[in-house]
Amino acid sequence: MMNIIKKLRQENGYSQRMLAQLCNVHQTAVSQWETGRTVPESEMLVTLSQVLGVSVDVLLGNEKKEAKILIPVLGYVRAGLPAQAVENVLCFEEISTELACRGDYFGLKISGDSMFPMFHPDDTVIVRRQPDAESGDIAVVQIGNDDAVVKKLIKKDTSIVLVSENSNYEPMIFTQEEVSRLPVTVVGKVVELRRKF
């Protein structure tokens, strides 16, 4: 198990200190797990599996690590949504086969600070492509033909409101007529955040 924890920690880009913080333990505990001096208790195995994105069986060495699927990161959300512009693929992100079975996914890079502190510039968000979202969801919304934003979507009887996390930005309010005319369309729902340190 010691080699598995170290390998998964490194694959996730965590230092021992970062993994310790995520698991709410002292860095010494992580070091001892990795050297085999101690073994995580069952509750900690569950926490580790969630933080490292694998099953407890993988941590115990009882099954192979879950296969991953690569999805394209299509560009910066502030510069428009290049969903059809395959040549604008910036890089690829991995998602699990379990997640991939639930829909069609793509990634976008965050530009600007309107969703700070939830999202930072250059964060990558994983988006499930869907034509609608629930009120309160964080969604990718296309406004007209060129501009796309990541905002909290609020649905009201006669309007759609796109809300920023950063209070320096006013909500964007669209009437039913504007939603049809511009148009304002949901492209997908943000389901995951990827941040590089």
Side-chain angles (χ1 to χ4, degrees):
M1 181 191 310
M2 54 190 163
N3 291 333
I4 294 171
I5 292 175
K6 183 175 183 179
K7 183 173 182 284
L8 291 170
R9 171 179 65 76
Q10 291 171 338
E11 284 178 4
N12 280 277
Y14 299 144
S15 64
Q16 285 188 346
R17 182 178 177 203
M18 288 166 59
L19 182 58
Q21 288 174 339
L22 290 167
C23 293
N24 201 25
V25 296
H26 194 274
Q27 183 177 339
T28 307
V30 175
S31 176
Q32 289 180 341
W33 298 337
E34 291 186 359
T35 59
R37 295 185 73 186
T38 62
V39 176
E41 296 190 11
S42 52
E43 285 184 16
M44 183 52 62
L45 280 173
V46 172
T47 301
L48 271 170
S49 72
Q50 293 168 343
V51 169
L52 295 172
V54 296
S55 68
V56 172
D57 281 336
V58 168
L59 285 176
L60 295 173
N62 295 337
E63 70 176 45
K64 293 182 179 176
K65 188 179 170 191
E66 183 180 1
K68 299 284 183 178
I69 307 285
L70 290 177
I71 61 166
V73 177
L74 297 176
Y76 283 87
V77 74
R78 192 90 174 270
L81 184 67
Q84 291 79 29
V86 177
E87 67 273 14
N88 286 344
V89 172
L90 298 176
C91 58
F92 291 88
E93 286 284 337
E94 290 184 350
I95 62 170
S96 67
T97 52
E98 181 184 344
L99 186 62
C101 289
R102 294 189 214 141
D104 181 22
Y105 295 85
F106 61 93
L108 288 172
K109 288 271 192 188
I110 297 294
S111 172
D113 65 350
S114 68
M115 289 300 283
F116 185 84
M118 180 183 290
F119 302 138
H120 297 200
D122 283 327
D123 280 352
T124 299
V125 290
I126 306 301
V127 181
R128 182 174 56 235
R129 198 181 300 273
Q130 57 187 60
D132 199 6
E134 298 291 325
S135 188
D137 284 347
I138 304 299
V140 177
V141 179
Q142 191 157 354
I143 303 165
N145 294 322
D146 300 319
D147 197 21
V149 294
V150 174
K151 302 282 185 201
K152 181 185 281 188
L153 174 70
I154 304 295
K155 294 180 176 180
K156 300 199 171 184
D157 289 340
T158 59
S159 61
I160 286 180
V161 183
L162 303 179
V163 181
S164 300
E165 285 291 308
N166 187 335
S167 59
N168 291 327
Y169 292 83
E170 293 290 325
M172 301 168 75
I173 303 170
F174 299 94
T175 64
Q176 286 179 342
E177 186 272 328
E178 289 172 319
V179 168
S180 298
R181 180 175 47 82
L182 289 173
V184 178
T185 54
V186 173
V187 176
K189 176 183 174 181
V190 174
V191 297
E192 200 172 305
L193 165 65
R194 305 281 175 91
R195 179 170 296 156
K196 304 285 191 289
F197 292 97

